[in-house]
Amino acid sequence: MKAYQILPRILRLSLCVMVCIFIVASLSGEARARTAAHVLVLHSYHYGYTWTDSLTEGIYSTFADKAPLDNIVVEYMNTKRHPTELIFPHLRVLYADIYRNTHFDLIITTDDNALEFILRYRDELFPKTPVVFCGINNLDNARLRKSKNITGVAEKIEIESTLNLIKQLQPDVTTVAVIAGMSESGRINLKLFREAIQHVDELSALDLSELPVDEIQAQLNKLDSTSVVLNLGLSRSTDGHIFTVDQGINLITQATNRPIYTAWDFAMKPGVVGGNLVSGKHQGAAAANLAIMILNGESADHIPFQESPNANIFDYIELQRYNIPLNRLPSSYILLNAPTPFFTIDRSTGIILIIVSLCIIAVSLLLHYNIKTRRIAAQAMSSTEERFKQLADAAWEAIIIQDEGIIHQVNNQFYPMFGYSLAESKKIDSVEMLIAPESRREFRRHLREDDTTPFDVLAMRKEGSTFPVEMRIKQMDFHGIKAGVLVVRDITERKLIEVKLAEINKTLENLVFERTKTLDQKASELEIANRKLLELDELKSSFMSTVSHDIRTPLTSIIGFTKLISKEFKSSFVGLVEEDSRLAKKRDRIITNLAIIEEEGERLKRLINDFLDLTRIESGSAEWHDQKIDIARLIQQATAVVSGLMPKGAAARIHMEIHEDLPVLHADPDRIMQVLTNLLGNAAKFTPPDKSIIIDVSTHNNAVEIRVTDEGPGIPAKDLVNIFDKFYQVGRGETTPETPKGTGLGLAICKQIIEHYKGHIHAESVLGKGSTFTFSLPV
Ligand code: ADP
């Protein structure tokens, strides 16, 4: 895939990612309160009191982030200035009156007095309204534990954490000078300090809480470089002075130049380094978060009381002042008075910005890659175009690039083909000027159809002469426009050759026609001649069979009378000429001649019988008495017959090799017997008395195959091809000089019989070794 193809996908993907980020960012954090709820914030103290103000800030900023602010009502109970027992009854009456017609969805109380008030009067003033408290030191208040529909946030100073921070930030410090003041809360805090410092090694306490103010300041002034100060709230001194938070801190900071640590964020004044602090803002925020959960449907009873949400808070300026490096700070902290960075962003905005920046970088890289690829492609294209032009100029064909008839470019071959010069070619109004008028319609059709198949048209030169061309049109992108490329080949020569070829073809066709006519004539003449020959053959055959028939009767008589004469002559006349040697010689000649007549007569009879038999088979007039035959039995019978005919005392023996499970054949048993006796007879005739004949039978390819093998003289190859022809007899040559005594029809009859049953017969022979005659009959 090319870079410019990937790019739109990447852009789409980036857009999707950004949209997702936006949605996730919008939904992140807790769900917003569903609708504007009516919330009462009940402060124990007064407006302007630092702690109370920081609680308000935490509540407001959290609601501002997550829920509408419009319906928050804030009440200050002012219990710092007025004892609760004095002011509670008035407030009870006041709230009952002013909130008579107001329903609050939730009440947030800050610090103990407000919670106490609500625990006393909620059922009366705000029945069933869920309450979230914060700024509460003692959560083990039994009444609080028993109350329903109430939850909240504990406020607990973590002195041990601050002491550990001191060790971490200032490892050289060994003494912590603590000032807790003589108020009730001061005493409690001091107790907590004493417990805490026991758990921190290498730190010892210098307790200044119970000293008069002057003495405190004097002691502070004397602190050396291994000491720090822990301010746990100097609200009242042992000599009776009362101090505000700021006044207390001022007293301490004026007296010492050692680092001051504290336990509350509102005590983070100039000169104070920090510590693990109770944070009014965090308290308020934690309470507001619980309130939002309840307003979103969570039951207050299902939300456990929260631990004090303290934070590690430090003043950057003070850290600098005491040369405390920032890398000693704990993993999470808040740094006050830190130099303002060029701009600040919150975490989720930062993440979004990072992702967006990464996307932009990725897109830029891709764009850069794309531009580079395109530039390379453009360079490649221009060199390709140059090469293409060279190729086009080297072509045999004229190449014309045109768009809607206007010619944009042509190759060199165009000019000689159409007779235009370069300047003239620029003046051609339309590509149709290059086409002969009679071909323009055809040309337009091909141009329109966007068909790349070649077609023939007549082109026209500048001076008006026309010539045949083969043209091919292909649409292609040419510098941003869809242009038609015409490839034009002058086919004048081809057309001339085509005409010549057509002429030659015509002449050839005429010639072939003439020859075919002569051949047809000859064929019909041959057919007539053949028919005549067949008729003659039939005539001859019928003549021959008539003659044969007619000869057979007198021949029978001749043979019969010859036998009779021979018999009577032998019985009556032979003894009469014993004394006369001349007559005895004549007697012997007569006996010999009579035997010859008889023998030749028998041969003639066989010849006639065989001939008639063959003629009947060939003409189809032979009768076939087909039936199931047991070929093995038939062979045994044939063997017996042939053995009987063999010369007496001859040692020739016929061996049979017959497979047991031969299939049953369907044929005329006499005819198959005729074939078997013929083949076995021939074999017996030519096998010397001391040699044997083998006949074996097997089954191959749905046919029974019978082989008759002898060890006779064999048959010369030249005779083997004709041996199944009618009247064909093998001349015996010098070794067997006697003239053949057979008819030359036996094998011809065998062939006819076997082929009648769609079988095959053939002979193989090795001269001097023997012959094998094989025939097969389909099952
Ligand atoms: P014929 O009646 O003369 O034997 P055949 O058609 O049976 O006529 O045989 C044709 C010729 O094939 C014969 O001249 C014979 O010499 C020759 N021939 C047939 N069988 C054998 C054989 N087994 N070995 C040698 N020659 C053979």
Side-chain angles (χ1 to χ4, degrees):
M1 195 181 282
K2 304 261 167 44
Y4 59 82
Q5 290 171 310
I6 296 170
L7 195 64
R9 291 178 184 205
I10 296 286
L11 285 171
R12 272 202 301 275
L13 201 67
S14 310
L15 199 65
C16 289
V17 169
M18 287 186 217
V19 170
C20 291
I21 290 164
F22 176 76
I23 292 167
V24 170
S26 312
L27 298 176
S28 67
E30 297 91 313
R32 287 172 176 275
R34 281 162 303 173
T35 50
H38 221 157
V39 175
L40 170 66
V41 178
L42 196 59
H43 288 299
S44 294
Y45 308 127
H46 52 275
Y47 179 78
Y49 185 60
T50 316
W51 167 251
T52 300
D53 289 350
S54 63
L55 284 166
T56 310
E57 190 190 344
I59 292 167
Y60 264 73
S61 62
T62 305
F63 270 106
D65 280 351
K66 296 170 186 171
L69 285 169
D70 302 349
N71 296 320
I72 297 179
V73 175
V74 180
E75 288 289 349
Y76 294 94
M77 294 174 71
N78 224 349
T79 57
K80 277 269 182 219
R81 290 164 180 158
H82 310 292
T84 52
E85 293 316 315
L86 178 67
I87 203 163
F88 272 15
H90 295 287
L91 291 175
R92 176 184 172 195
V93 174
L94 175 70
Y95 294 159
D97 196 20
I98 61 178
Y99 297 124
R100 192 175 52 242
N101 297 321
T102 307
H103 166 77
F104 289 109
D105 295 304
L106 186 126
I107 300 168
I108 296 175
T109 66
T110 72
D111 296 304
D112 299 77
N113 292 343
L115 177 63
E116 176 60 31
F117 180 83
I118 282 298
L119 289 177
R120 273 193 216 170
Y121 305 117
R122 175 170 62 167
D123 291 346
E124 180 191 327
L125 299 174
F126 313 108
K128 297 201 172 115
T129 307
V131 173
V132 174
F133 59 82
C134 62
I136 303 300
N137 298 115
N138 182 17
L139 290 182
D140 292 330
N141 180 330
R143 199 147 47 103
L144 180 60
R145 288 279 165 200
K146 270 195 280 176
S147 298
K148 291 279 164 214
N149 211 8
I150 189 161
T151 189
V153 185
E155 181 209 323
K156 190 177 170 206
I157 55 170
E158 292 289 348
I159 297 173
E160 189 176 326
S161 304
T162 302
L163 294 175
N164 282 323
L165 278 174
I166 292 169
K167 287 279 330 155
Q168 189 177 325
L169 299 183
Q170 295 181 276
D172 299 334
V173 168
T174 54
T175 307
V176 177
V178 62
I179 304 157
M182 296 312 292
S183 66
E184 181 55 31
S185 57
R187 284 179 205 285
I188 294 167
N189 293 340
L190 192 62
K191 191 166 167 259
L192 291 173
F193 170 78
R194 286 187 181 134
E195 282 167 16
I197 201 158
Q198 285 174 15
H199 298 122
V200 184
D201 296 338
E202 299 165 26
L203 277 186
S204 58
L206 174 64
D207 186 2
L208 307 179
S209 304
E210 292 178 12
L211 299 176
V213 176
D214 295 346
E215 193 55 28
I216 291 171
Q217 287 193 308
Q219 290 289 333
L220 287 174
N221 201 22
K222 282 197 274 177
L223 292 177
D224 63 11
S225 62
T226 61
S227 305
V228 292
V229 180
L230 177 61
N231 174 21
L232 293 181
L234 180 56
S235 58
R236 185 187 301 169
S237 66
T238 191
D239 49 356
H241 291 96
I242 305 277
F243 306 108
T244 63
V245 173
D246 288 358
Q247 285 169 337
I249 292 165
N250 281 340
L251 276 172
I252 297 167
T253 50
Q254 281 163 11
T256 183
N257 54 7
R258 295 306 301 150
I260 301 164
Y261 290 84
T262 186
W264 303 272
D265 67 341
F266 57 78
M268 285 297 291
K269 301 291 174 187
V272 181
V273 172
N276 182 268
L277 310 184
V278 166
S279 159
K281 197 175 166 193
H282 282 73
Q283 283 274 323
N289 278 326
L290 293 181
I292 288 166
M293 282 167 74
I294 293 163
L295 291 173
N296 278 330
E298 189 71 53
S299 162
D301 293 331
H302 293 154
I303 304 172
F305 297 168
Q306 309 281 299
E307 290 290 319
S308 183
N310 296 0
N312 297 317
I313 303 175
F314 302 97
D315 188 320
Y316 178 80
I317 296 167
E318 301 304 324
L319 289 172
Q320 294 290 306
R321 179 176 158 200
Y322 295 110
N323 292 323
I324 299 170
L326 293 179
N327 59 14
R328 290 191 191 160
L329 294 179
S331 56
S332 75
Y333 59 86
I334 297 166
L335 203 56
L336 308 178
N337 298 323
T340 318
F342 180 64
F343 65 89
T344 51
I345 49 172
D346 64 38
R347 198 176 134 82
S348 56
T349 315
I351 291 169
I352 293 170
L353 276 177
I354 289 168
I355 294 171
V356 170
S357 308
L358 286 174
C359 288
I360 290 168
I361 290 167
V363 169
S364 309
L365 285 173
L366 272 166
L367 276 171
H368 176 74
Y369 175 71
N370 185 34
I371 290 164
K372 205 171 153 192
T373 315
R374 276 171 181 253
R375 198 174 296 146
I376 292 167
Q379 280 167 1
M381 183 91 102
S382 75
S383 71
T384 309
E385 220 167 80
E386 182 53 37
R387 237 177 294 151
F388 177 72
K389 192 171 160 11
Q390 285 173 8
L391 271 176
D393 286 343
W396 287 101
E397 294 89 354
I399 298 173
I400 303 157
I401 299 172
Q402 65 83 42
D403 167 41
E404 306 210 331
I406 309 298
I407 296 174
H408 289 291
Q409 207 166 329
V410 294
N411 69 343
N412 285 346
Q413 193 59 29
F414 167 82
Y415 306 111
M417 191 183 285
F418 286 89
Y420 287 91
S421 67
L422 177 64
E424 286 165 342
S425 73
K426 299 217 183 298
K427 292 180 193 149
I428 300 171
D429 290 336
S430 163
V431 75
E432 282 196 13
M433 283 176 67
L434 305 172
I435 309 294
E438 60 266 44
S439 286
R440 281 179 191 163
R441 211 188 150 107
E442 166 87 348
F443 170 73
R444 260 178 245 138
R445 188 171 65 76
H446 281 278
L447 203 59
R448 225 180 16 245
E449 283 174 4
D450 194 10
D451 180 7
T452 53
T453 326
F455 58 97
D456 292 356
V457 278
L458 267 184
M460 192 167 73
R461 298 190 185 88
K462 191 187 84 181
E463 48 19 322
S465 63
T466 62
F467 60 105
V469 293
E470 184 192 76
M471 197 177 274
R472 207 155 75 90
I473 303 176
K474 175 135 182 50
Q475 301 296 336
M476 71 167 221
D477 184 70
F478 182 74
H479 296 298
I481 54 165
K482 197 174 175 231
V485 180
L486 313 184
V487 181
V488 189
R489 180 182 292 174
D490 185 343
I491 52 169
T492 310
E493 274 185 32
R494 196 179 85 188
K495 285 281 174 197
L496 283 175
I497 291 168
E498 275 174 13
V499 170
K500 277 247 155 59
L501 270 176
E503 278 170 13
I504 292 169
N505 216 18
K506 189 86 208 138
T507 318
L508 269 175
E509 266 176 18
N510 288 340
L511 217 62
V512 169
F513 179 73
E514 288 299 321
R515 291 286 151 86
T516 314
K517 219 163 99 181
T518 319
L519 273 177
D520 282 350
Q521 241 168 18
K522 295 271 186 245
S524 67
E525 280 170 20
L526 271 176
E527 208 182 307
I528 292 165
N530 193 36
R531 213 177 303 129
K532 274 188 184 156
L533 275 175
L534 281 173
E535 280 169 9
L536 269 176
D537 192 50
E538 267 173 33
L539 211 63
K540 182 206 77 185
S541 294
S542 82
F543 171 74
M544 286 289 281
S545 69
T546 315
V547 170
S548 303
H549 262 292
D550 290 350
I551 289 174
R552 206 156 50 162
T553 318
L555 188 60
T556 311
S557 305
I558 290 168
I559 295 168
F561 280 117
T562 309
K563 280 181 180 169
L564 195 64
I565 291 168
S566 178
K567 194 177 164 194
E568 283 183 354
F569 183 73
K570 281 176 189 164
S571 64
S572 310
F573 297 97
V574 168
L576 298 176
V577 295
E578 283 298 333
E579 290 87 29
D580 188 338
S581 63
R582 206 170 47 89
L583 280 175
K585 263 189 189 171
K586 278 195 178 173
R587 176 203 66 198
D588 290 344
R589 208 180 308 134
I590 289 168
I591 288 171
T592 309
N593 287 344
L594 281 171
I596 291 170
I597 293 170
E598 193 184 325
E599 194 182 319
E600 289 300 310
E602 285 295 343
R603 199 161 79 87
L604 191 58
K605 198 172 119 188
R606 273 203 315 279
L607 178 68
I608 289 166
N609 283 340
D610 282 355
F611 176 74
L612 285 173
D613 200 15
L614 189 62
T615 312
R616 270 200 298 276
I617 295 173
E618 280 181 340
S619 66
S621 61
E623 288 184 10
W624 302 86
H625 303 286
D626 291 354
Q627 54 185 271
K628 283 182 185 169
I629 52 170
D630 178 354
I631 190 73
R633 226 174 121 237
L634 216 57
I635 291 169
Q636 276 165 350
Q637 285 172 6
T639 308
V641 170
V642 174
S643 299
L645 294 175
M646 276 158 60
K648 281 214 168 53
R653 281 186 294 127
I654 303 173
H655 297 287
M656 283 180 286
E657 289 179 9
I658 301 173
H659 292 268
E660 292 291 313
D661 49 351
L662 288 175
V664 174
L665 285 173
H666 209 79
D668 185 338
D670 291 340
R671 288 297 185 189
I672 304 303
M673 186 70 166
Q674 198 177 348
V675 175
L676 286 168
T677 50
N678 202 302
L679 296 181
L680 283 170
N682 281 348
K685 203 156 52 179
F686 292 103
T687 304
D690 57 337
K691 303 279 177 169
S692 51
I693 299 162
I694 298 167
I695 176 162
D696 74 83
V697 191
S698 55
T699 317
H700 286 296
N701 303 329
N702 273 341
V704 173
E705 193 177 273
I706 299 160
R707 294 157 60 85
V708 179
T709 306
D710 63 55
E711 294 181 79
I715 304 160
K718 69 175 173 49
D719 295 314
L720 214 53
V721 282
N722 302 315
I723 205 157
F724 293 99
D725 289 352
K726 274 187 271 187
F727 301 112
Y728 194 87
Q729 289 187 299
V730 178
R732 286 293 140 192
E734 286 172 14
T735 44
T736 49
E738 70 231 54
T739 41
K741 294 222 170 108
T743 61
L745 289 173
L747 289 178
I749 292 171
C750 289
K751 189 167 187 278
Q752 288 294 329
I753 292 169
I754 297 302
E755 286 180 353
H756 173 79
Y757 288 113
K758 310 271 184 278
H760 299 286
I761 185 164
H762 71 277
E764 298 154 274
S765 184
V766 179
L767 216 50
K769 293 231 161 133
S771 314
T772 299
F773 284 80
T774 309
F775 70 91
S776 63
L777 289 167
V779 177

